[in-house]
Amino acid sequence: MKTTIPSFPGIPAVAVSGRMNTFTPTETHRSEAGSFMMLMLVVIAAGLGVVALILRLFSPQIRKYAAGGVCRSTARLDGKVALITGANSGIGKETALDLASRGARVIMACRDVEKGEEAATEIRARVGGAKVEVRELDLADTCSIRAFAQRFLQEVDHLHILVNNAGIMMCPYMKTVDGFEMHIGVNHLGHFLLTYLLIGLLKRSAPSRIVVVSSLAHNFGWIRFHDLHSQGSYNSGLAYCQSKLANVLFTRELARRLHGSNVTVNSVHPGTVRSELMRHSTAMSLLFAVFSMFLKTPKEGAQTSVYCAIAEELQSISGKHFSDCAPAFVAPQGRNEETARKLWDVSCELLGIEWD
């Protein structure tokens, strides 16, 4: 076959004989490509092996760092009464265990009573003479909250520690019995109503303390007053962040209103904890499994809640945020007094209550 390359002004045409060259992979090329891929796999495997070796060598230091702060108070709670929501698992159960070991009478408020009884049995087995009780409380139902509080006030004479611990995280879009978006309904409004119903007893039992379990996630939250229940659009992560910011704002405004009552309230970030809270997010559950070494155990995660509930040096401290048993940063939106007051008023309106 002859191919002629066209001529251009001043350049004669050139005839080229033979076939046009085309590249055809040979066995040699395939072998070289296979060898390269094998080399890359070996390099990646070696890199992962080195990382694994480093993590193994430094695992004690990594675990110590991940564990965070420890409550070192030796305070006893004999004769004191503590109420903890969501105490059937995770940091709630560990908080109940710690307070019971100090002599407190601990009421474990749980949605799942059967799991609550299992947790209570475990605490009694670990703490001789532990005074723990399980009571049903569904924070996604205001009727359940009111029924719980009514019975509690009839049967309990004092309340020295209230730990608003229960929570839900990154669940699919759902509504509470009363029509609230689940995150804001359980994490904020449910505890708001419970605290309102028990605040009189807390004041009569003073000095008393309220601990609100929030999260570092409050830094990424905004209170969407125009769509508080995410009816316009829904993102489970953002809904969770909004509810955790609401916890911080509630703490701030409640502390202002309780000034001079000898009842304090502080919020806490427990840290990134291995718990059932991630059950609604497969991606986050897998991520937590991979990086489990860097996560806190439930006992480690409970330390700041315990610290804020009992530490002697916090007796007059209120309206603050803590993490790792030390004061922690609060995002600017969590320090906005106007937003805190507006959220308070909106919460009262949604719940049909007046709380001056």
Side-chain angles (χ1 to χ4, degrees), residues 219-245:
N219 285 275
F220 310 103
W222 297 93
I223 304 299
R224 304 171 72 239
F225 288 109
H226 67 285
D227 190 18
L228 196 64
H229 302 293
S230 305
Q231 293 176 308
S233 62
Y234 180 71
N235 178 287
S236 61
L238 294 179
Y240 175 72
C241 293
Q242 175 182 240
S243 70
K244 294 292 101 178
L245 174 60

Side-chain angles (χ1 to χ4, degrees), residues 1 3 16-23:
M1 176 180 179
T3 303
V16 179
S17 298
R19 294 184 177 180
M20 296 293 290
N21 291 330
T22 58
F23 175 76

Side-chain angles (χ1 to χ4, degrees), residues 14 29-30 55 66 72-73 191 236 252 263 294 297 339 355:
V14 178
H29 293 126
R30 293 191 183 96
L55 290 177
R72 302 191 181 283
S73 172
H191 283 121
S236 61
R252 187 179 186 87
V263 179
F294 299 93
T297 64
T339 303
W355 191 356

Side-chain angles (χ1 to χ4, degrees), residues 254-276:
L254 181 57
R256 185 183 71 81
R257 292 169 180 260
L258 289 175
H259 180 71
S261 67
N262 212 11
V263 179
T264 63
V265 53
N266 292 293
S267 60
V268 305
H269 165 55
T272 308
V273 183
R274 293 195 297 271
S275 70
E276 295 180 1

Side-chain angles (χ1 to χ4, degrees), residues 261-320:
S261 67
N262 212 11
V263 179
T264 63
V265 53
N266 292 293
S267 60
V268 305
H269 165 55
T272 308
V273 183
R274 293 195 297 271
S275 70
E276 295 180 1
L277 195 62
M278 298 305 307
R279 63 187 179 276
H280 293 291
S281 175
T282 302
M284 290 298 290
S285 296
L286 290 173
L287 191 64
F288 274 34
V290 172
F291 294 100
S292 60
M293 183 181 296
F294 299 93
L295 306 181
K296 290 184 178 183
T297 64
K299 180 178 180 179
E300 292 164 349
Q303 294 302 301
T304 306
S305 293
V306 173
Y307 173 73
C308 287
I310 68 169
E312 297 89 339
E313 61 269 27
L314 300 184
Q315 185 173 353
S316 60
I317 303 299
S318 192
K320 305 300 181 183

Side-chain angles (χ1 to χ4, degrees), residues 73-270:
S73 172
T74 59
R76 293 288 304 173
L77 297 175
D78 302 286
K80 304 293 184 182
V81 179
L83 169 61
I84 305 169
T85 65
N88 60 286
S89 64
I91 64 176
K93 183 173 78 172
E94 291 296 335
T95 303
L97 173 64
D98 188 289
L99 300 188
S101 70
R102 297 171 186 270
R105 175 189 177 188
V106 179
I107 289 90
M108 303 166 65
C110 309
R111 181 178 60 84
D112 190 326
V113 175
E114 184 177 349
K115 286 186 177 181
E117 290 292 357
E118 291 175 2
T121 299
E122 181 183 336
I123 291 173
R124 294 186 192 103
R126 295 174 63 181
V127 179
K131 297 183 285 291
V132 291
E133 308 165 25
V134 178
R135 304 199 179 189
E136 184 176 4
L137 171 64
D138 185 355
L139 288 163
D141 182 355
T142 57
C143 289
S144 174
I145 299 170
R146 290 181 181 278
F148 170 89
Q150 182 178 24
R151 180 188 170 193
F152 189 93
L153 293 172
Q154 290 173 347
E155 300 177 355
V156 182
D157 297 328
H158 297 88
L159 180 58
H160 304 95
I161 299 170
L162 169 61
V163 183
N164 289 334
N165 167 82
I168 192 165
M169 181 178 184
M170 298 181 69
C171 66
Y173 186 77
M174 294 186 288
K175 290 185 177 181
T176 67
V177 173
D178 302 275
F180 308 139
E181 186 278 317
M182 191 62 72
H183 289 93
I184 199 73
V186 171
N187 297 353
H188 169 61
L189 292 171
H191 283 121
F192 188 101
L193 178 60
L194 178 66
T195 307
Y196 162 77
L197 295 171
L198 299 179
I199 197 65
L201 182 59
L202 284 159
K203 288 180 177 179
R204 292 193 297 274
S205 306
S208 54
R209 303 186 189 190
I210 303 169
V211 180
V212 179
V213 178
S214 180
S215 169
L216 182 70
H218 86 271
N219 285 275
F220 310 103
W222 297 93
I223 304 299
R224 304 171 72 239
F225 288 109
H226 67 285
D227 190 18
L228 196 64
H229 302 293
S230 305
Q231 293 176 308
S233 62
Y234 180 71
N235 178 287
S236 61
L238 294 179
Y240 175 72
C241 293
Q242 175 182 240
S243 70
K244 294 292 101 178
L245 174 60
N247 291 153
V248 172
L249 292 167
F250 169 57
T251 298
R252 187 179 186 87
E253 180 62 12
L254 181 57
R256 185 183 71 81
R257 292 169 180 260
L258 289 175
H259 180 71
S261 67
N262 212 11
V263 179
T264 63
V265 53
N266 292 293
S267 60
V268 305
H269 165 55

